């Protein structure tokens, strides 16, 4: 009797006006609406290893409607100053989001049967009797002014400066009553510097601050304040053989204050605490055409995440990742392309250490054929080795990754 129906509608329109060769005014409008209607059967708890007792059920009916309006108007162009050509973009953006959530519950106290021995439970259970539950009705509004300038300071040196001034507010009724929050006049600066060492090498440095509203609620079911922070990055890039081969290396660190971190449940509602995190690491990538018809990419990322006490945090996120892929168009049959990818990540675990997912490798392959400029077909084989792994350990419950699977597709372009 359980189901989960989701309907997404998206509409957009864009209008651009060219004043001359250098200046353009652009306006973009987007509207999105999502409806979710569901009757779900949640299970909570951790079964005892010897008796398989300890799971309990919490069915519910949930109706969610989300409407979003987004309008962005910006002016972009080039101007001369100090004998050099520079670029500017400046604009205003408006956004409004209306969220309505309603639910009905069937708690255990109303006689819903317990699951009992989970090993012997077959999932066959009658639909429950529901009682009215709580809900939420929120409206978020955001207004922003932004601008950025790309300054050509010298032939090899470019400075990028920018800022965004945000006015954000949220009001409405949450699960336990009315709530309001407001953030006015927050300024988010950005700066970047690029230096071209020679025709093949360049280096850069950047700094930006961050501001991100959050929808999660704390233990009192009050909405968390937006998270704020900053990030810094230094890197080097190189291009070879007429840009057919590119290499990058970057070192980064970031700080986030008040970001939502799962803190358990209040009834069936997941609640969060506002925590501070610090991350740093490096990444490198080599990509391009290694030989006629042969394209390949290899990238490696290593990072570390700590909490405000300096301890390892968010251990369910891999700290090392290797991504490789290659494709080859057969010279004797140019309509056909073959390729493969190999992805590896290191060990992840639950923060409490109860569950660990060892490092694993996923191997995929594909073959495609172009019948004409408009019609092509492809065959993809994913997880060729049938690796069995858990997708994420963010929660106490986890999903297995997809086993070996095959997908065929036919594409027609017109």
């Amino acid at each position: 009797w359980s189901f989960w129906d989701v309907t997404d509608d998206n509409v957009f329109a864009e209008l651009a006006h060219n004043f001359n060769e250098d200046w353009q005014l652009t306006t973009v409008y987007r509207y999105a609406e999502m409806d979710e209607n569901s009757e779900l059967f949640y299970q909570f708890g951790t079964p005892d290893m010897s008796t398989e007792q300890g799971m309990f059920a919490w069915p519910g009916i949930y109706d969610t409607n989300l409407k979003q309006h987004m309008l962005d108007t910006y002016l972009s162009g080039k101007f001369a100053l100090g004998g050099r050509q520079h670029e500017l973009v400046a604009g205003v953006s408006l956004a409004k989001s209306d969220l309505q959530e309603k639910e009905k519950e069937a708690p255990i106290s109303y006689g819903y049967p317990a699951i009992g021995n989970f090993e012997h439970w077959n999932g066959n259970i009658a639909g429950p009797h529901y009682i009215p539950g709580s809900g939420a009705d929120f409206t978020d509004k955001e207004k922003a002014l932004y601008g950025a300038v790309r300054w050509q300071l010298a032939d090899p040196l470019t400075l990028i400066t920018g800022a965004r001034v945000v006015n954000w507010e949220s009001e409405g009724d949450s699960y336990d009553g009315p709530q309001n929050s407001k953030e006015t006049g927050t300024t988010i600066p950005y700066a970047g510097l690029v230096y071209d060492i020679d025709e093949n090498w360049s280096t850069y440095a950047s700094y930006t601050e961050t501001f991100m509203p959050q929808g999660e609620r704390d233990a009192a079911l009050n909405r968390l304040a937006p998270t704020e922070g900053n990030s810094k990055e230094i890197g080097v890039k190189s291009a070879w053989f007429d840009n057919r081969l590119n290499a990058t290396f970057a070192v980064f660190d970031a700080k986030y204050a008040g970001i939502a971190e799962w803190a358990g449940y209040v009834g069936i509602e997941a609640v969060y605490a506002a925590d501070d995190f610090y991350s740093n690491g490096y990444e490198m990538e080599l990509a391009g055409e290694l030989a006629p018809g042969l394209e390949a990419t290899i990238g490696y990322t290593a990072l570390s995440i700590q909490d405000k006490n300096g301890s390892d945090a968010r251990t369910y996120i891999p700290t090392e990742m290797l991504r490789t892929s290659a494709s080859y168009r057969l010279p004797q049959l140019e309509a056909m392309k073959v390729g493969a990818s190999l992805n590896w990540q290191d060990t992840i675990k639950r923060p409490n250490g109860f569950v660990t997912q060892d490092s694993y490798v996923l191997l995929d392959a594909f073959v495609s054929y172009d019948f004409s400029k408009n019609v092509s077909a492809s065959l993809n084989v994913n997880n060729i080795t049938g690796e069995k792994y858990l997708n994420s350990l963010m929660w106490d419950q986890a999903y297995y990754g997809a086993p070996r699977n095959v997908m065929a597709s036919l594409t027609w372009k017109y």
Side-chain angles (χ1 to χ4, degrees):
W1 44 263
S2 64
F3 67 93
W4 195 337
D5 295 335
V6 180
T7 302
D8 276 315
D9 294 309
N10 295 274
V11 179
F12 77 92
E14 180 176 324
L15 177 65
H17 176 71
N18 294 312
F19 295 101
N20 50 44
E21 293 183 355
D22 293 331
W23 290 94
Q24 183 181 68
L25 180 66
T26 305
T27 299
V28 180
Y29 170 75
R30 293 184 177 89
Y31 172 77
E33 182 172 356
M34 181 187 68
D35 278 302
E36 292 191 25
N37 300 293
S38 60
E39 185 174 2
L40 304 178
F41 184 81
Y42 284 101
Q43 296 183 55
F44 293 87
T46 303
D48 182 88
M49 294 183 67
S50 58
T51 66
E52 291 290 337
Q53 302 282 336
M55 295 290 286
F56 62 94
W58 198 307
I61 293 178
Y62 307 94
D63 291 326
T64 300
N65 177 262
L66 175 64
K67 297 179 181 179
Q68 294 176 305
H69 299 267
M70 291 154 283
L71 180 67
D72 188 20
T73 298
Y74 59 92
L75 179 69
S76 58
K78 302 176 182 179
F79 66 96
L81 182 66
R84 294 187 177 275
Q85 196 87 336
H86 313 280
E87 298 177 16
L88 176 145
V89 59
V92 57
S93 64
L94 305 173
K96 180 182 178 182
S97 174
D98 293 307
L99 174 65
Q100 292 182 334
E101 296 179 345
K102 298 178 181 179
E103 64 180 46
K104 295 181 180 179
E105 304 170 347
I108 297 175
S109 60
Y110 277 76
Y112 199 76
I115 292 174
N117 188 311
F118 186 64
E119 184 178 2
H120 297 152
W121 189 71
N122 61 10
N124 226 345
I125 199 163
H129 167 71
Y130 293 103
I131 62 171
S134 53
D137 188 348
F138 275 109
T139 297
D140 290 356
K141 297 178 182 179
E142 182 176 306
K143 303 174 184 178
L145 296 173
Y146 62 90
V149 182
R150 185 181 184 93
W151 305 95
Q152 195 67 46
L153 302 181
D155 289 339
L157 185 62
T158 302
L159 173 66
I160 304 170
T161 59
R164 183 180 180 91
V165 180
V166 178
N167 182 319
W168 177 84
E169 60 181 295
S170 176
E171 60 182 2
D173 298 322
S174 183
Y175 288 82
D176 64 342
Q179 293 185 32
N180 293 276
S181 56
K182 179 179 294 186
E183 190 86 24
T184 303
T186 298
T187 301
I188 308 166
Y190 167 83
L193 193 65
V194 181
Y195 180 75
D196 296 327
I197 301 173
D198 57 31
E199 62 180 8
N200 299 115
W201 291 88
S202 64
T203 184
Y204 70 93
S206 68
Y207 171 86
T208 183
E209 295 187 1
T210 58
F211 173 86
M212 183 176 64
Q214 303 182 103
E216 291 84 358
R217 295 178 295 272
D218 61 18
L221 298 183
N222 294 315
R223 188 169 177 177
L224 293 178
T227 179
E228 300 186 45
N230 62 73
S231 63
K232 299 179 284 290
E233 184 173 322
I234 299 174
V236 60
K237 297 183 178 182
S238 63
W240 305 88
F241 311 115
D242 294 328
N243 293 322
R244 292 196 302 271
L245 182 64
N246 295 274
T248 63
F249 177 82
V251 178
F252 58 86
D253 69 42
K255 296 179 180 179
Y256 297 97
I259 196 168
E261 181 75 352
W262 182 70
Y265 292 93
V266 173
I268 195 175
E269 304 297 336
V271 296
Y272 298 80
D275 289 333
D276 299 340
F277 294 96
Y278 172 76
S279 67
N280 62 80
Y282 65 91
E283 58 185 357
M284 59 183 73
E285 183 180 77
L286 181 66
E289 186 178 12
L290 303 183
L294 177 61
E295 296 180 350
T297 300
I298 180 170
Y300 175 78
T301 302
L303 64 87
S304 172
I305 304 176
Q306 297 93 32
D307 59 22
K308 57 188 175 184
N309 299 317
S311 303
D312 290 338
R314 299 202 161 192
T315 55
Y316 51 82
I317 297 176
T319 57
E320 292 183 86
M321 293 166 285
L322 177 68
R323 301 286 184 263
T324 66
S325 64
S327 64
Y328 183 59
R329 189 170 291 278
L330 304 180
Q332 62 273 28
L333 188 60
E334 291 189 357
M336 179 175 288
K337 181 188 286 188
V338 297
S341 65
L342 185 149
N343 299 315
W344 170 86
Q345 73 170 51
D346 69 336
T347 300
I348 57 175
K349 60 183 179 180
R350 284 288 299 147
N352 56 24
F354 290 159
V355 181
T356 298
Q357 167 61 60
D358 293 333
S359 62
Y360 62 87
V361 173
L362 296 180
L363 178 63
D364 305 330
F366 79 91
V367 57
S368 66
Y369 188 85
D370 299 328
F371 294 100
S372 67
K373 293 181 179 180
N374 303 100
V375 181
S376 62
S378 63
L379 180 70
N380 293 70
V381 183
N382 302 312
N383 195 0
I384 294 176
T385 61
E387 182 73 22
K388 187 177 181 180
Y389 65 97
L390 295 171
N391 264 318
S392 172
L393 296 178
M394 182 175 181
W395 310 102
D396 286 329
Q397 298 177 347
Y399 292 102
Y400 282 111
R404 183 185 302 110
N405 61 92
V406 179
M407 180 178 68
S409 62
L410 181 66
T411 303
W412 174 39
K413 299 178 182 178
Y414 61 93

